[in-house]
Amino acid sequence: MAYFRWKGTINNVKRKGEVTAGSKEDAIIKLKKQNINVLSIKQSAPPIELDFLNNAKPKDIMIMTKQLSIMLNAGIPIVSAFNILIEQIKNPKLKKIIRNIKENIEAGSSFSNALREHKDIFSDLYINMVESGEASGNLDVVLQRLVITMEKDLELKRKLKGALIYPTMVSIVAVGVIALILTFVIPTFSKMYADSGMQLPLLTRMVIGASNFLRDYIIIILLIIAIIIGAFVIAKKKSIKFRTYIDSVLLKLPLLGTLILKTSIARFSSILSMLTSGGVSILEAIDIGAKTSGNLIIENALNKVKESVKEGSNLSEPISKAGIFPDMVSQMISVGEETGKLEDMLVKVSQYYEEEVDNSVKNLTTMLEPIIIVFLGVIVGTLVIAMYLPIFKMGQAIKGG
């Protein structure tokens, strides 16, 4: 297949884009079928794509979905809408995917089936919502609801990352300062004391020993740290057992564990409400919600909930027995089931825990900031005292003499 760049008009509006076809003539025929009046077209080399640099980010997909929803709501045919998207999208990988989806739709595929060829980019939630929108004839409305959910999810992730960025940066700076002191400052004092030949206090000898060790083995230390980080990342990707253990530890951490749980509850409740109101079965909705929880412990608990519902239980009872969710979640879901307003109650659960995430982020930042500062102060203070202790003792000896 050859790659062509074209300029033309759609409804008297100037447009430009790319198309793949067997020949120039095939490309023109293909464009005319899309109601594009071709003004010029020429074959060119396809753009160089470095996928690892151009991954389709969740924010890119959210913006694309919002634009598609607006165009469909305005009455623009879906293929024409995709042509406009291809022209506007800057991310090369996402542009290539959208072009492939458009070509599949032109070949007779449904939008949802075309999305299934790119499950590494589009989640089960996205695909199922599009499928329900196609079935109901309200694709633009469903896409708008998807946009709202994606915006909430991005906001939750941003808050979670935001809670960790400040303490992480302060910790990195603290480690850097300590390393600089041990590497450059301590050796100056060490040489001075070595020349004097005086007997050094234990604390001073320990600090000088740590400084010498760091200077002699810095490359090996950095190499070991890199290996440990690499092994951790690989193990987390490859081993389900290791991921489960790490996720279990994270949930048990003070403050951070609560924040992770609240974030997962807010996300799951929002997704479950949207899917069930969109006509997706409760079992499939729970399955999709479990996969988006972001924590294997929570995902496994929700899978058990799904099995109980599959056997005839209501939703609130297995959630209550899971032993991981707060009682308020099962109680509110129970009220929703009894009143026949489960979707509305799930929305309220989501809204409540989104507010709780905000409060938890503030509490986490407030608690960690003084702890890190005190820790840094104690370490630096200990290093300073260790280096000046011999001078103090020398002064006392002179006074005593």
Side-chain angles (χ1 to χ4, degrees):
M1 298 287 280
Y3 184 86
F4 297 91
R5 294 184 185 275
W6 59 268
K7 292 181 181 180
T9 59
I10 302 175
N11 297 328
N12 296 320
V13 178
K14 288 186 177 180
R15 299 288 183 190
K16 61 181 180 178
E18 304 86 23
V19 65
T20 54
S23 65
K24 185 176 180 179
E25 290 73 21
D26 290 342
I28 294 172
I29 292 171
K30 199 172 186 178
L31 293 170
K32 284 184 177 179
K33 287 181 179 178
Q34 300 169 24
N35 297 320
I36 297 172
N37 181 29
V38 180
L39 299 177
S40 66
I41 184 169
K42 61 180 180 179
Q43 186 174 348
S44 65
I48 298 173
E49 296 176 5
L50 301 175
D51 284 350
F52 67 94
L53 294 177
N54 298 314
N55 286 330
K57 298 176 182 177
K59 188 175 181 181
D60 295 332
I61 296 171
M62 185 269 291
I63 293 171
M64 180 274 294
T65 306
K66 181 182 286 188
Q67 293 172 331
L68 182 59
S69 171
I70 292 169
M71 286 188 283
L72 293 179
N73 184 260
I76 298 175
I78 190 166
V79 172
S80 298
F82 276 121
N83 280 323
I84 296 171
L85 284 175
I86 291 167
E87 181 184 335
Q88 294 178 344
I89 291 172
K90 304 298 181 186
N91 186 291
K93 185 172 183 179
L94 185 57
K95 180 178 287 196
K96 182 179 178 181
I97 290 168
I98 295 303
R99 185 183 294 111
N100 178 259
I101 290 171
K102 184 203 74 170
E103 289 172 353
N104 286 340
I105 292 173
E106 287 176 327
S109 173
S110 65
F111 184 16
S112 55
N113 283 334
L115 289 172
R116 284 190 173 90
E117 293 188 12
H118 304 281
K119 296 190 80 171
D120 56 325
I121 302 296
F122 298 98
S123 64
D124 289 339
L125 166 66
Y126 197 103
I127 295 168
N128 278 274
M129 285 303 296
V130 167
E131 189 172 35
S132 69
E134 288 176 316
S136 64
N138 295 315
L139 183 57
D140 59 324
V141 176
V142 169
L143 288 174
Q144 185 54 44
R145 291 171 65 187
L146 254 177
V147 168
I148 294 170
T149 301
M150 293 168 79
E151 286 176 338
K152 285 183 179 180
D153 192 47
L154 286 171
E155 182 65 14
L156 286 172
K157 288 178 180 177
R158 186 191 65 79
K159 289 173 182 176
L160 187 58
K161 288 179 181 177
L164 300 175
I165 284 175
Y166 178 76
T168 301
M169 292 302 297
V170 173
S171 299
I172 291 172
V173 171
V175 171
V177 169
I178 294 168
L180 286 173
I181 292 174
L182 288 172
T183 306
F184 296 104
V185 179
I186 302 299
T188 303
F189 283 89
S190 177
K191 186 175 184 303
M192 181 179 69
Y193 294 145
D195 293 340
S196 70
M198 64 185 297
Q199 179 66 32
L200 299 176
L202 176 61
L203 181 61
T204 305
R205 294 201 304 271
M206 289 174 63
V207 170
I208 290 175
S211 172
N212 291 336
F213 179 82
L214 183 64
R215 294 181 68 200
D216 293 341
Y217 298 101
I218 183 65
I219 295 177
I220 296 174
I221 292 171
L222 291 175
L223 186 61
I224 291 172
I225 291 173
I227 291 171
I228 291 172
I229 293 173
F232 179 86
V233 172
I234 292 170
K236 201 167 185 298
K237 284 184 178 180
K238 302 290 184 181
S239 172
I240 296 295
K241 187 179 288 187
F242 184 74
R243 275 186 61 202
T244 303
Y245 173 75
I246 294 298
D247 286 350
S248 174
V249 170
L250 287 174
L251 282 178
K252 292 175 183 176
L253 291 176
L255 295 177
L256 181 60
T258 304
L259 177 59
I260 292 171
L261 179 60
K262 289 176 179 178
T263 302
S264 295
I265 293 172
R267 184 184 295 133
F268 171 74
S269 303
S270 175
I271 288 171
L272 196 63
S273 170
M274 184 177 68
L275 287 171
T276 51
S277 62
V280 178
S281 71
I282 185 69
L283 291 175
E284 195 169 2
I286 296 172
D287 186 55
I288 294 170
K291 291 175 183 175
T292 60
S293 64
N295 184 286
L296 278 180
I297 300 298
I298 298 172
E299 182 178 338
N300 292 336
L302 289 172
N303 284 332
K304 291 178 181 178
V305 169
K306 183 187 76 172
E307 291 303 316
S308 296
V309 173
K310 191 176 181 179
E311 292 171 1
S313 173
N314 57 20
L315 180 60
S316 57
E317 186 177 343
I319 283 182
S320 176
K321 292 179 179 178
I324 191 172
F325 303 107
D327 291 338
M328 194 195 80
V329 177
S330 59
Q331 290 167 1
M332 290 184 72
I333 290 175
S334 178
V335 171
E337 289 175 323
E338 291 173 3
T339 58
K341 295 182 178 180
L342 179 59
E343 290 84 6
D344 293 340
M345 197 57 69
L346 286 169
V347 171
K348 293 184 186 299
V349 171
S350 176
Q351 291 172 344
Y352 173 80
Y353 278 99
E354 283 170 11
E355 293 176 5
E356 284 291 295
V357 167
D358 284 338
N359 295 331
S360 295
V361 167
K362 292 174 185 175
N363 292 337
L364 184 64
T365 306
T366 303
M367 288 285 291
L368 287 178
E369 184 175 350
I371 291 173
I372 293 171
I373 291 173
V374 169
F375 173 77
L376 178 59
V378 169
I379 297 296
V380 174
T382 301
L383 295 177
V384 171
I385 291 171
M387 287 301 98
Y388 280 94
L389 199 56
I391 296 176
F392 297 151
K393 287 196 172 186
M394 191 185 299
Q396 289 175 354
I398 292 172
K399 284 183 181 179

